[in-house]
Every structure is written in C-alpha cells, then in structure tokens.
Amino acid sequence: MSASQTSDVPTLLVKIFGKDRPGITAGLFDTLAAYSVDVVDIEQVVTRGRIVLCALVTRPAGGAEGELRATVHSWAESLKMQAEILSGTGDNRPRGSGRSHVTVLGHPLTAESTAAIAARITATGGNIDRIFRLAKYPVTAVEFAVSGCETGPLRTALATAAAHIGVDVAVVSAGLHRRAQRLVVMDVDSTLIQDEVIELFAAHAGCEAEVAEVTERAMRGELDFEQSLHARVALLEGLDASVVDKVRAEVRLTPGARTLIRTLKQLGYQVGVVSGGFTQVTDDLQERLGLDFASANTLEIVDGKLTGRVTGDIVDRAGKARLLRRFAAEAGVPLEQTVAIGDGANDLDMLNAAGLGVAFNAKPVVREAAHTAVNVPFLDTVLYLLGITREEVEAAGLT
C-alpha cells in the first residue's frame, strides 16, 4: 500500500513495552493476524533489556477494533508487559526536504551535550526522525536521522555547537552514496602514525629539538611547508642510509589504525596515504597495511648516505589535494565520495577538496576549517562518521 493510499485510511498505533525476550515480535503479529490488518510501519528498540515495539496497522474491518484491543491487551498482560493502542488516520507525516545523518561522538556522551545538539538541530529547522547507537566503545557514538533542513547549514550550526560543548559531530547528506564504494585518504605523521617521521630521523642525527621546532611552526601554518621541509632535511645530511630501517622499526601506529584500514578494506573501500614525510617510510606502511595508494617525498641517498635533499615533486599542501584527486580518478570514485583525514595546516586543501574532511586531533586552525573533527585518540572512530557500527567493525575483524 503506497503512502498516498494510506493517507486517509483509519489506522491503529499498537505500542508494546516491557522486558525483552525471544518471540515478542512474532507473538504480537500472530495476535494481529487474526484480524486481517495490514502493516503500515514498524519500529522496535531494545535498551538495557527493555523493548519498545510499535506497529502501525490498518483498522480491522467489521467493527472488530474493540475485540482487537482486548485481545492485544490480554496477550501483553500474559507476558507481564504493557500495551497502548491509539486510533488515528494514515501514516507518519512526510519527512521534510533536506535529509542528513548527524553522528555525535562523546567520551563520555553526556545528557547536557545531547540536549544541546538536539536543540541546535531544532533551531536550524531540522526534525529528528530516528536515533540509533553506533558504538559504545571506545567512544559513545549515536546517529541522528534529520530532515527538514539542508546539510550545509546544519553542518555549520552543529560545528559551532560541538566546539562549545566538547563533542565531535559529523553531518553528511543522506542517500545511497553513503553505502557506495568510497575512497579514504589520510595523512601519515600524527594521523596514521603517532610520530613525526622527520623527527625520528633527526633523533639519529642529534638535531631533534631543532627539527621539532620547525615542524611545529609549519604545522601551525606559520612557515611555508616547502621551505621548512628543505630546512629540516638539510640537517640530516651525512646520515648513514641504514637509519631508514631503524626509523621504520620505531614508527608507532595510532591506536585504531589497523582496525580502521582492515574494516574499510573488508567493506570494499580503497585506502591511501599522502605524506609530507618520506617514501622510505610510506612504502613500508603501504606494504604492511595493504594500502591501495601511497605518495610522499623521497629522501635522496647517494653512496649510502643521506644528502640532505629530497628528490622529485614536493608533496605539500596543494600537492596533497592533487593526489587526492588523482587517487579518486584512479579508483573510479567521485570526489564527493572521498574522505580525507589529517591534522595539520598542510592537510587543509585535501580536507576541503574531499566529500568529507576529518580533522583528527588537529590544530585549532584545522579543526575550524574541516567538515568535522575527531578529538579522541582512536583513529577507528572515523568509521562511525561513515555510519559503520561497532558490531560491523568487530565482524570485519573476525573474517
């Protein structure tokens, strides 16, 4: 029966609530089946062992509504549950135009922050149609299905609210594309891994503090990246090439990095990295993690020594965005279905070019410019922003 066919049809909303157990849903519809009603809508939620089951059905013919009510109440009482039946007309009201998925991450997620997000959705003209928990570990992640306002203004409004109340919020358009094959491209230093690779090299050259200072200024956007790269690499001149293997062994993956990549690959996503660091490390990461794409700068090595120079095109802020577009073209994925993840100022062009740009434990200038931010130290929480549940993550780890 279509929406137009049910708009004026008398209907009954049957609500059952109480302690959950196997067979409740089957039992309710077995009871209703005796009255030859049609099912218009069903919603069921189980929270901490308590079930709320709602069935919207057509009113029974032949004046049997009273008998149906009595039978449903009797059946519910036999299970020590409660029933409520409301008469009405038609289905749910049509959802407003403009539909979005709003994902909220909290560590913890408080009632106060949830109230603030809900109020901001309402103030923007949106209506919350459904709420669903995606994960309870390592963060609490819930998803709101929102209609009635466009995604852009909603994203802007919620980003401001999130910054004030200390939660992470992502807003994406609803639609089939959310489940389509996609491409995820991420930065490496302080994103995929916990380290700054050039600082690992610098530690072996005895100039770690000097390099770290230049790196920090570049990440804040105070220095031109290419100039700062050349200045830092110059300090490595004369290092023996054997240091590459030592640095590879010292690299520490960010918590959740393997889970993120494994889950995405299981779901058919393609995954790549772009880095202002060095191919001597990213090539190793690509092989270890099964990445589809990887691009970075290359340290020049001559006669077994680092020369203090890099070779080839520099992967800088603009270069990362170009590589995102190139990877997307090679993967056959529209740019609007790409996800970019990064933490520094040199990631900004890439984050803005992607369909969803995620600032991961980023500098303030990056958090403010990205589509959304994640401020917990678990890279796999990005999966929840894509509508992937914790159960799906765990299932991917078992296959």
Side-chain angles (χ1 to χ4, degrees), residues 132-145:
F132 177 73
R133 187 178 72 180
L134 295 168
K136 59 181 178 181
Y137 172 83
V139 299
T140 300
V142 296
E143 181 175 284
F144 296 77

Side-chain angles (χ1 to χ4, degrees), residues 114-126 149 153-154 156-162 164:
T114 305
I117 292 296
R120 186 59 63 94
I121 290 172
T122 301
T124 312
C149 58
L154 181 62
T156 300
L158 292 183
T160 303
H164 287 303

Side-chain angles (χ1 to χ4, degrees), residues 207-225:
C207 57
E208 185 178 14
E210 188 175 354
V211 165
E213 180 183 357
V214 178
T215 299
E216 183 63 24
R217 293 180 64 193
M219 296 299 284
R220 290 197 302 263
E222 297 174 4
L223 293 176
D224 173 81
F225 177 81

Side-chain angles (χ1 to χ4, degrees), residues 43-58:
E43 290 279 354
Q44 178 175 305
V45 177
V46 178
T47 305
R48 209 182 67 180
R50 309 293 291 184
I51 185 173
V52 179
L53 171 60
C54 294
L56 186 65
V57 300
T58 55

Side-chain angles (χ1 to χ4, degrees), residues 46-83:
V46 178
T47 305
R48 209 182 67 180
R50 309 293 291 184
I51 185 173
V52 179
L53 171 60
C54 294
L56 186 65
V57 300
T58 55
R59 186 176 297 173
E65 180 182 338
E67 182 181 342
L68 180 150
R69 287 174 174 269
T71 303
V72 169
H73 279 287
S74 177
W75 168 80
E77 288 172 5
S78 72
L79 297 176
K80 297 183 179 179
M81 303 185 75
Q82 293 178 278

Side-chain angles (χ1 to χ4, degrees), residues 304-316:
K305 301 286 186 181
L306 274 65
T307 66
R309 296 186 295 269
V310 292
T311 62
D313 295 334
I314 298 298
V315 178
D316 56 8

